[in-house]
Amino acid sequence: MVNATVLARYEHFSPSKGSPLPFEAIGKLTGIAPVDEAEDALQRIGTMARFGRDTTIFNEGDPVQFCYKIVSGAVRRCKHTVNGRRQISDFLLAGDCFGFLQFGRYNCTAEAIRDAVVIAYPQIQVERLTRTMPGMGHRLVVLMSERLTSMQDHLVRLGHQAAKERVASFLLLLCERLGAKEGECFDIPMNRQDMADYLGLTVETVCRALSELKRTKRIAAPSPQEVIINNLDALRTVVDNED
Amino acid sequence: MVNATVLARYEHFSPSKGSPLPFEAIGKLTGIAPVDEAEDALQRIGTMARFGRDTTIFNEGDPVQFCYKIVSGAVRRCKHTVNGRRQISDFLLAGDCFGFLQFGRYNCTAEAIRDAVVIAYPQIQVERLTRTMPGMGHRLVVLMSERLTSMQDHLVRLGHQAAKERVASFLLLLCERLGAKEGECFDIPMNRQDMADYLGLTVETVCRALSELKRTKRIAAPSPQEVIINNLDALRTVVDNED
DNA sequence: CGGATGGTTGATGCGTTTCAACAGAGGTGG
DNA sequence: CCACCTCTGTTGAAACGCATCAACCATCCG
């Protein structure tokens, strides 16, 4: 049953509808060549898949079948609470991996924020690689460790920062992640509701915080989905005024 | 310099003042015998140390020198923000490990909540064990994975739950962790400030939430440090009313 | 053109923080 | 041994920030 669900998802796959592409195709798509042995080994077991906006990649509690790497698009990891609310634990963009080092069942839900192309690695084969290739395990642990660090930072955000500070902090994070420079325009890949569910706020509060930042000239916004950070240090000042 | 600090800490060590005990002593103290090869190997490289209440075990950013396991007492993992506030990411009790799988530098600060006896494992030797013993790496990864899961749950708490719900949720967590049954009295190992810094609240709000839970007979409190959960399900109801 | 969707702004109420006062436990020194 | 102090926990009153509810605008699409 679970298998059927997963296979059904592959129908979203666009480049060659219905049948997952072998990994080789990625090289052409992304222009990225495997840099080392571990990466090369992973490549060989990966197949591409495409998930439409707001579709579920896997649910919390599902048996682990695949691990993923994002080629393009964006994904949110989240938990749904009993009363329909949602806490997003993090956002994933091109190049990010998820679903690795989960034991038995996924510990959170993964959903596409916008159309996303991912590479799916069968978990069983990843595990085999981890056992046989010395570098692989370590690499995954480092990945996990980084995630833990970023979640700790997020705890600080949710525990001790005011709305404006959370939004400012989020913009800085996004800016860095996207490699945008001061004064450079970049796209916000998620909508206001996603931002709100990540920051533990309401859509309205996120809007007001953004408006406030615009009013005070710390940021500019050509469109609702685009932002320019006029002065990185000015934004950092907002974040640090946590009290 | 860093070495000197760490060595100085060992002076707190009480059973044989000044010189760290070889691990064998633990067997007698805790009555726990090594259950398998990995555990046994760890035992041989561990030395005991004692940290007084509110002392620092290591600071965020310190180079990783030791990994720890708690024999008795309690420890908090936390981050200190620029303006003196503190976010506690989790509490650790007897049997819990921390400081493992950190790369280069600790990603958070660890402090003793109350007098704590720990076993310190030199990081270099732990790493060697991880490379040579097949079971060790996997065990550490599982540990890390559990931590990630619990931090995700905590994100939900901080992001979407009201004060009463957070406190109720915290009590349930503590109760389970300590293995206390419904109607059984158990000790709260940390003070109100620690609880507040963990839950992203103020001391006063934590107090009020506790008083409210007492008033409604969901819990009883023989002393400020002791709690009895009269009805687990009643408390769970409080937690789930997240909206 | 009409309806749906996502984003923004305004007014109001509620919950948490803040500030303040006080109570009880534990420790110290006269 | 008691007076005194400190530290932690508790409760009250007022201020403030965010959520809520509601209206409105812009864009997109049928």
Side-chain angles (χ1 to χ4, degrees):
Chain A
M1 190 188 77
V2 176
N3 237 315
T5 314
V6 172
L7 290 176
R9 288 189 190 127
Y10 279 102
E11 290 169 13
H12 291 288
F13 179 70
S14 73
S16 82
K17 204 103 181 186
S19 70
L21 266 195
F23 187 98
E24 280 69 33
I26 298 296
K28 291 188 189 116
L29 250 180
T30 62
I32 297 169
V35 293
D36 64 7
E37 202 191 3
E39 200 117 348
D40 190 51
L42 258 187
Q43 280 213 9
R44 273 192 289 275
I45 63 171
T47 56
M48 275 187 41
R50 193 179 156 282
F51 292 91
R53 187 165 174 272
D54 277 327
T55 58
T56 303
I57 299 171
F58 54 75
N59 272 303
E60 181 182 353
D62 281 356
V64 175
Q65 298 206 325
F66 294 93
C67 313
Y68 300 88
K69 179 172 178 176
I70 301 181
V71 176
S72 69
V75 170
R76 61 175 172 250
R77 257 191 293 225
C78 60
K79 289 209 167 223
H80 292 272
T81 65
V82 281
N83 46 26
R85 303 191 76 169
R86 189 179 67 172
Q87 176 63 44
I88 297 178
S89 64
D90 49 9
F91 295 109
L92 303 159
L93 304 178
D96 290 335
C97 295
F98 60 103
F100 287 87
L101 293 185
Q102 308 262 301
F103 300 103
R105 298 178 177 279
Y106 294 112
N107 61 12
C108 65
T109 297
E111 298 162 346
I113 288 177
R114 41 172 62 190
D115 289 8
V117 175
V118 302
I119 311 163
Y121 310 101
Q123 193 267 345
I124 294 180
Q125 300 200 49
V126 171
E127 202 169 308
R128 188 176 48 72
L129 276 185
T130 310
R131 278 196 307 273
T132 54
M133 295 200 48
M136 181 67 74
H138 184 259
R139 178 175 305 211
L140 294 182
V141 168
V142 170
L143 208 71
M144 201 172 180
S145 172
E146 282 168 2
R147 174 140 190 254
L148 232 150
T149 301
S150 84
M151 281 187 64
Q152 272 181 7
D153 292 340
H154 198 37
L155 277 188
V156 174
R157 234 167 274 139
L158 297 191
H160 283 296
Q161 290 187 185
K164 282 179 229 166
E165 297 155 14
R166 294 186 206 188
V167 172
S169 166
F170 176 73
L171 289 178
L172 283 170
L173 222 61
L174 202 57
C175 177
E176 187 181 16
R177 173 60 239 268
L178 295 172
K181 306 270 172 250
E182 201 172 70
E184 230 175 77
C185 183
F186 62 89
D187 253 54
I188 304 181
M190 63 290 295
N191 66 20
R192 298 290 186 266
Q193 185 63 60
D194 286 326
M195 289 175 62
D197 286 347
Y198 176 69
L199 297 173
L201 301 169
T202 58
V203 205
E204 295 93 328
T205 304
V206 171
C207 265
R208 278 186 251 270
L210 285 171
S211 300
E212 165 74 14
L213 290 174
K214 273 188 272 183
R215 228 188 332 261
T216 54
K217 304 290 180 207
R218 280 183 260 253
I219 65 169
S223 86
Q225 284 73 36
E226 293 173 308
V227 183
I228 300 165
I229 296 182
N230 291 324
N231 187 340
L232 284 171
D233 284 331
L235 255 198
R236 291 199 191 100
T237 307
V238 175
V239 174
D240 286 346
N241 275 354
E242 293 172 37
D243 222 344
Chain B
M1 191 188 77
V2 175
N3 239 313
T5 313
V6 171
L7 290 177
R9 285 190 192 126
Y10 279 103
E11 289 169 13
H12 291 288
F13 179 70
S14 73
S16 81
K17 203 102 180 186
S19 70
L21 266 193
F23 187 98
E24 279 70 32
I26 298 297
K28 292 191 190 113
L29 249 180
T30 63
I32 298 167
V35 294
D36 65 6
E37 201 191 3
E39 200 117 347
D40 190 52
L42 259 188
Q43 280 213 7
R44 274 192 288 277
I45 62 170
T47 56
M48 275 184 44
R50 192 178 156 280
F51 291 91
R53 186 163 173 272
D54 277 327
T55 58
T56 304
I57 299 171
F58 54 74
N59 272 302
E60 180 183 353
D62 282 356
V64 175
Q65 298 207 324
F66 295 93
C67 313
Y68 299 89
K69 179 172 178 177
I70 301 182
V71 176
S72 69
V75 169
R76 60 176 173 251
R77 257 191 292 225
C78 59
K79 288 210 168 224
H80 293 272
T81 65
V82 281
N83 45 26
R85 301 191 77 169
R86 190 180 66 173
Q87 177 64 43
I88 296 177
S89 64
D90 49 9
F91 294 109
L92 303 159
L93 304 178
D96 290 336
C97 295
F98 60 103
F100 287 87
L101 293 184
Q102 306 263 301
F103 300 104
R105 299 179 176 279
Y106 294 111
N107 60 14
C108 64
T109 296
E111 298 162 346
I113 288 177
R114 42 172 60 191
D115 289 9
V117 175
V118 302
I119 311 164
Y121 310 101
Q123 194 267 344
I124 294 180
Q125 300 199 48
V126 170
E127 203 170 308
R128 188 176 46 74
L129 276 184
T130 310
R131 279 196 305 273
T132 55
M133 296 200 47
M136 180 68 73
H138 185 259
R139 177 174 304 210
L140 294 182
V141 168
V142 170
L143 207 72
M144 202 170 177
S145 173
E146 283 167 3
R147 174 139 189 255
L148 232 151
T149 300
S150 85
M151 281 187 64
Q152 271 181 8
D153 292 338
H154 198 38
L155 277 188
V156 175
R157 235 166 274 141
L158 296 191
H160 282 297
Q161 290 186 186
K164 282 178 228 167
E165 297 154 15
R166 294 185 206 189
V167 172
S169 166
F170 176 72
L171 289 178
L172 284 170
L173 222 61
L174 204 56
C175 177
E176 187 180 16
R177 175 58 239 269
L178 294 173
K181 308 268 171 254
E182 201 173 70
E184 230 176 75
C185 183
F186 62 89
D187 253 54
I188 305 180
M190 62 291 294
N191 64 22
R192 299 289 186 269
Q193 185 63 60
D194 285 326
M195 290 174 61
D197 285 347
Y198 176 68
L199 297 172
L201 301 170
T202 59
V203 204
E204 295 93 329
T205 304
V206 171
C207 264
R208 279 185 251 269
L210 285 171
S211 300
E212 166 74 14
L213 290 174
K214 274 188 272 182
R215 228 188 334 262
T216 54
K217 304 286 179 210
R218 280 183 261 253
I219 65 169
S223 84
Q225 283 73 37
E226 293 173 308
V227 182
I228 299 164
I229 295 182
N230 291 323
N231 187 338
L232 284 171
D233 284 331
L235 255 198
R236 290 199 191 98
T237 309
V238 175
V239 175
D240 285 346
N241 275 353
E242 296 173 38
D243 223 344

